[in-house]
Amino acid sequence: STFLFDDVEQIFGGTQIDLPVTFESSTVNYTMTDFEGNTSFPAVDPMAANNNVRKIVKTDQAGSSAGTTIGTPAGFATAIPLTLTDSKMTVRVWSPDANTPIRLKVENSNDPTQTCETETNTTLAGAWEYLVFDFANEASGTAALSFGLTNGWTYNMASIFMDFGTPGSTADKTYYFDDVYFGIYTSTKTQ
């Protein structure tokens, strides 16, 4: 007997991902899209067993722009309400090394040329910290938030890049992220 099959795919249920992203809901589709040598998957917080997070492995084959899109190619359920006066997002990050550049990019899921990127460095090694990303301070060589807003761009997707600008080394490196919020967030209040 001969059997043929084609187009095998895994269908994920749940509602479309939206901000804030906490990885705690059983009804949200937390599918992520990895690129250029990253691999990511759901994990338990290495510091707190009762918390769900996303683990990212920057493989030894990863490119310098390896990253993970937070969600599917459809983006968030609602647009990120960025303005020139309200231009910040917060992500809780765990890095094996201090002074690691972490880049956050927002874009229009329907037009990948409409983007804004910003970057900040970790200050801790082997510990969680809240990193604030200010899109009014765009990364060198990327479109300014003011340009995008003036031209009516909508940002409804975000991607995170661990150790941006550095290709994979001789060994895989593991990072974690959680608590992706619009605005400045701490564990006790949102500003």
Side-chain angles (χ1 to χ4, degrees):
S1 297
T2 301
F3 298 93
L4 303 172
F5 64 94
D6 192 9
D7 298 331
V8 176
E9 72 181 275
Q10 185 173 5
I11 305 297
F12 295 95
T15 58
Q16 186 174 353
I17 195 170
D18 208 0
L19 294 174
V21 177
T22 64
F23 302 110
E24 298 303 324
S25 176
S26 61
T27 63
V28 174
N29 180 353
Y30 290 119
T31 300
M32 303 282 145
T33 307
D34 302 314
F35 50 90
E36 205 177 312
N38 258 14
T39 59
S40 72
F41 44 92
V44 172
D45 185 335
M47 310 293 277
N50 62 344
N51 185 41
N52 296 317
V53 299
R54 192 72 178 191
K55 180 178 184 176
I56 292 178
V57 177
K58 189 165 186 177
T59 67
D60 61 353
Q61 301 297 310
S64 59
S65 298
T68 298
T69 298
I70 304 168
T72 68
F76 296 123
T78 57
I80 305 165
L82 290 167
T83 67
L84 291 179
T85 56
D86 208 359
S87 59
K88 296 175 181 168
M89 289 180 67
T90 305
V91 182
R92 195 166 66 106
V93 173
W94 185 100
S95 172
D97 306 303
N99 205 34
T100 300
I102 309 295
R103 184 169 285 206
L104 193 64
K105 173 175 124 176
V106 292
E107 67 184 280
N108 182 340
S109 66
N110 295 314
D111 186 345
T113 66
Q114 297 179 359
T115 69
C116 186
E117 301 178 31
T118 190
E119 190 171 294
T120 190
N121 286 1
T122 61
T123 61
L124 303 174
W128 286 102
E129 65 183 307
Y130 287 96
L131 298 180
V132 176
F133 296 88
D134 187 354
F135 289 96
N137 288 327
E138 70 278 351
S140 177
T142 67
L145 179 63
S146 59
F147 178 82
L149 294 175
T150 299
N151 287 286
W153 293 1
T154 299
Y155 304 104
N156 68 335
M157 178 186 285
S159 297
I160 191 163
F161 305 80
M162 304 299 190
D163 201 8
F164 183 81
T166 304
S169 60
T170 56
D172 296 349
K173 279 210 166 182
T174 299
Y175 303 86
Y176 298 88
F177 78 94
D178 192 11
D179 300 327
V180 181
Y181 279 82
F182 175 70
I184 298 175
Y185 177 82
T186 66
S187 60
T188 58
K189 69 177 185 173
T190 302
Q191 298 178 351

